[in-house]
Amino acid sequence: MSKVPVMEVFGPTIQGEGMVIGQKTMFVRTAGCDYSCSWCDSSFTWDGTGIDLIKQMDAEEIWAELVSHGGEGFSFVTISGGNPALLKNLSYLINLLKEKKIKIGLETQGSKWQDWFLNIDELTISPKPPSSGMETDFNALDMILGKMKATDNRNQTSLKVVVFNDEDYNYAKMVHLRYPEIPFFLQVGNEDNKTTDDQMLINELLKKYEWLINKVMADDELKDVKVLPQLHTYIWGNKRGV
Amino acid sequence: MSKVPVMEVFGPTIQGEGMVIGQKTMFVRTAGCDYSCSWCDSSFTWDGTGIDLIKQMDAEEIWAELVSHGGEGFSFVTISGGNPALLKNLSYLINLLKEKKIKIGLETQGSKWQDWFLNIDELTISPKPPSSGMETDFNALDMILGKMKATDNRNQTSLKVVVFNDEDYNYAKMVHLRYPEIPFFLQVGNEDNKTTDDQMLINELLKKYEWLINKVMADDELKDVKVLPQLHTYIWGNKRGV
Ligand code: SF4
Ligand code: SF4
């Protein structure tokens, strides 16, 4: 059985976050997560509320769905979740995308390893800060980042930490200083991922973004880092599937 | 004489544009440009209005000024203009920054070559679209991108085109299709770089950003591209030196 549980396929749209921010991409969102972050903005992938959306699909079916949405207009696919790293069987999709010369981006929190990580072009490891309520398994993280480093370097690995408060900020710093050679992204947390008042949301997010920038600029221990917002929220607010 | 005309040194702040968007960086802005783009947002570097700001500085003086602003808190310096590629003598500053293990980003429109391009870690070539009123010298551009490609690839080169209207968009596409293997960034133009009404500015820029995203998403000829805003404008409006 080479199927995986898929929650939604959409695009083309832009990647709003992290190392490939702005990239034109299709999205495949898988179901299921081993975490339950307090502020998860895709909790429908694991909390039962999205259960009717889940389809068990094999690689060819996912490809057909990608093409039905994206036609001839894409060369990049982002796999997100939930935690796609739970799914050993994603290897079939990843191999198929490779055959089709599609570049692949993937984000995971860094709790699980899969051998197919080595075939991801742009791998974002996003360990979760204290405000999530989750505990980081640093043994797993060390192992994953060690294995990625040992590869021939054609693929890119980065770390991204979402920051809601000072405690998260200190956690982010600790992560960066533990893995100083890995490209590091700080991202503003979205405190209110339910509101539909886009103007208020943007103003709040910009205020938080400025707060985070100011902290990093004043901090001599964070030098070679990038500070980014969630760009798509500026355009589409909290809407899903865009 | 190893001096160069410097307009301003500031930071640390974030890079708001292009391939290193979000990067914590210091800025050195040089004076002088061989272009005079209609919408230039740093025309004070070449139109005479900023002439009192220009200081002739050598590499050690610039370094001292960087340290006086940034202290121990930076490892990245962005050189901008004007067109810094007019200045052969920038080689001294670039060599000094290299010695200090500082990463260097630089943006130029691609009208002139300098041998020190090969020592820039993140080089953005930003040819100007029709709305600028300038004419692109494609022979110069071919030569520059050819030389950068022939290097050992430790440094990164990207192309960035600012888009104000449909004609600019077609120009951007033509540039991307001419150099398909070079990472390509489309950026929204800021129509109103004088206003101090930040709220209105942000709303206008977001509308333009969405317009550009929608065009690219619907365009099968633009696949592996990134579409970005000028992030710093969202935070600081049209203020200079932040
Ligand atoms: S790891 Fe990601 S998908 Fe899983 S609960 Fe946390 S935020 Fe949500
Ligand atoms: S090339 Fe850049 S600095 Fe020179 S006029 Fe054009 S926008 Fe201004």
Side-chain angles (χ1 to χ4, degrees):
Chain A
M1 271 292 287
S2 58
K3 300 203 179 219
V4 290
V6 173
M7 207 85 211
E8 49 180 359
V9 171
F10 63 96
T13 182
I14 60 152
Q15 170 59 264
E17 308 181 358
M19 68 197 294
V20 280
I21 193 164
Q23 174 75 45
K24 183 178 184 181
T25 182
M26 301 295 298
F27 276 86
V28 175
R29 190 190 292 283
T30 62
C33 192
D34 46 329
Y35 276 24
S36 53
C37 300
S38 61
W39 35 250
C40 179
D41 63 1
S42 44
S43 53
F44 71 106
T45 63
W46 54 264
D47 69 4
T49 58
I51 204 155
D52 296 343
L53 298 173
I54 300 173
K55 282 200 273 185
Q56 296 291 336
M57 297 173 85
D58 67 23
E60 289 290 352
E61 286 167 330
I62 297 169
W63 177 251
E65 184 115 355
L66 284 166
V67 171
S68 91
H69 290 271
E72 296 278 307
F74 68 96
S75 63
F76 198 105
V77 170
T78 302
I79 303 172
S80 72
N83 183 8
L86 297 176
L87 304 169
K88 191 167 167 30
N89 278 343
L90 266 181
S91 59
Y92 297 97
L93 175 62
I94 288 160
N95 291 340
L96 183 65
L97 293 175
K98 286 270 140 191
E99 264 171 45
K100 309 257 185 213
K101 308 272 183 252
I102 301 290
K103 277 199 218 166
I104 308 168
L106 187 137
E107 181 175 321
T108 174
Q109 67 263 45
S111 58
K112 311 268 177 206
W113 169 262
Q114 293 289 349
D115 287 336
W116 50 249
F117 280 11
L118 299 171
N119 288 320
I120 303 298
D121 298 283
E122 311 276 348
L123 181 68
T124 299
I125 306 289
S126 183
K128 301 305 169 190
S131 66
S132 68
M134 300 294 113
E135 196 84 42
T136 303
D137 176 351
F138 279 100
N139 290 329
L141 208 53
D142 287 351
M143 181 268 287
I144 290 168
L145 293 170
K147 284 197 188 196
M148 291 310 294
K149 202 178 160 181
T151 69
D152 65 357
N153 223 4
R154 267 173 312 147
N155 35 24
Q156 305 269 340
T157 305
S158 72
L159 279 162
K160 186 181 82 178
V161 176
V162 177
V163 173
F164 285 82
N165 56 35
D166 287 338
E167 202 186 351
D168 290 356
Y169 181 85
N170 292 332
Y171 170 91
K173 192 147 100 172
M174 181 263 287
V175 171
H176 173 56
L177 298 176
R178 186 174 180 120
Y179 312 105
E181 75 291 346
I182 297 179
F184 191 77
F185 294 79
L186 294 110
Q187 179 178 305
V188 197
N190 178 359
E191 311 259 6
D192 184 357
N193 59 38
K194 299 284 182 284
T195 184
T196 53
D197 182 342
D198 291 350
Q199 187 73 64
M200 193 203 69
L201 179 66
I202 288 170
N203 288 341
E204 277 307 306
L205 288 172
L206 282 172
K207 241 187 276 168
K208 285 304 290 268
Y209 184 36
E210 192 171 5
W211 166 80
L212 184 58
I213 291 173
N214 288 338
K215 277 185 84 82
V216 174
M217 295 310 120
D219 191 334
D220 284 357
E221 288 183 288
L222 292 182
K223 292 185 176 78
D224 192 10
V225 300
K226 292 179 183 168
V227 190
L228 287 174
Q230 273 188 310
L231 260 190
H232 51 94
T233 324
Y234 291 8
I235 302 283
W236 294 294
N238 285 320
K239 234 183 289 165
R240 188 197 288 169
V242 278
Chain B
M1 272 294 287
S2 58
K3 300 204 181 219
V4 290
V6 173
M7 208 84 214
E8 50 180 358
V9 172
F10 62 96
T13 184
I14 60 153
Q15 168 60 264
E17 306 181 359
M19 69 196 295
V20 282
I21 192 165
Q23 175 75 43
K24 183 179 184 181
T25 183
M26 301 295 297
F27 276 85
V28 176
R29 191 190 294 281
T30 62
C33 192
D34 46 328
Y35 276 23
S36 53
C37 302
S38 61
W39 34 250
C40 179
D41 62 2
S42 44
S43 54
F44 70 106
T45 64
W46 53 264
D47 67 5
T49 57
I51 204 153
D52 296 342
L53 298 172
I54 301 174
K55 284 199 275 188
Q56 296 290 336
M57 297 173 85
D58 67 22
E60 290 290 349
E61 288 167 329
I62 297 170
W63 176 251
E65 183 115 355
L66 284 166
V67 170
S68 90
H69 290 270
E72 295 277 307
F74 67 96
S75 64
F76 198 106
V77 170
T78 303
I79 302 172
S80 71
N83 183 8
L86 297 177
L87 304 169
K88 192 168 166 32
N89 279 343
L90 266 180
S91 60
Y92 298 96
L93 175 63
I94 288 159
N95 291 340
L96 183 65
L97 293 174
K98 286 271 141 190
E99 264 171 44
K100 309 258 185 211
K101 308 269 180 256
I102 301 289
K103 277 196 216 167
I104 308 168
L106 187 137
E107 181 173 322
T108 174
Q109 66 265 43
S111 57
K112 309 269 176 207
W113 168 262
Q114 293 289 349
D115 287 336
W116 50 250
F117 280 10
L118 298 171
N119 289 319
I120 303 297
D121 299 284
E122 311 275 349
L123 181 68
T124 299
I125 307 288
S126 183
K128 302 305 170 192
S131 66
S132 69
M134 300 295 112
E135 197 83 42
T136 303
D137 175 351
F138 279 100
N139 290 330
L141 207 54
D142 288 350
M143 182 268 287
I144 291 169
L145 293 170
K147 284 197 188 196
M148 292 309 295
K149 202 178 160 181
T151 69
D152 65 359
N153 223 3
R154 266 173 313 149
N155 36 23
Q156 305 269 339
T157 305
S158 72
L159 279 163
K160 185 180 83 177
V161 176
V162 177
V163 173
F164 285 81
N165 56 35
D166 287 338
E167 203 185 350
D168 289 356
Y169 181 86
N170 292 332
Y171 170 90
K173 192 147 100 174
M174 180 263 287
V175 171
H176 173 56
L177 297 176
R178 185 174 181 120
Y179 313 104
E181 76 293 345
I182 297 180
F184 191 78
F185 294 78
L186 294 110
Q187 179 178 305
V188 196
N190 179 359
E191 311 259 5
D192 184 357
N193 60 37
K194 299 283 181 287
T195 184
T196 53
D197 182 343
D198 291 350
Q199 185 73 64
M200 192 204 69
L201 180 65
I202 288 169
N203 289 341
E204 277 307 306
L205 287 173
L206 283 172
K207 242 187 277 168
K208 284 304 289 267
Y209 185 36
E210 191 172 4
W211 166 80
L212 184 56
I213 291 172
N214 287 339
K215 279 187 81 83
V216 174
M217 295 310 121
D219 190 334
D220 285 357
E221 287 183 287
L222 292 182
K223 293 186 176 76
D224 192 10
V225 300
K226 291 178 184 169
V227 190
L228 287 174
Q230 272 189 312
L231 258 190
H232 51 93
T233 323
Y234 291 7
I235 301 283
W236 293 295
N238 285 321
K239 234 182 290 167
R240 189 196 290 170
V242 280

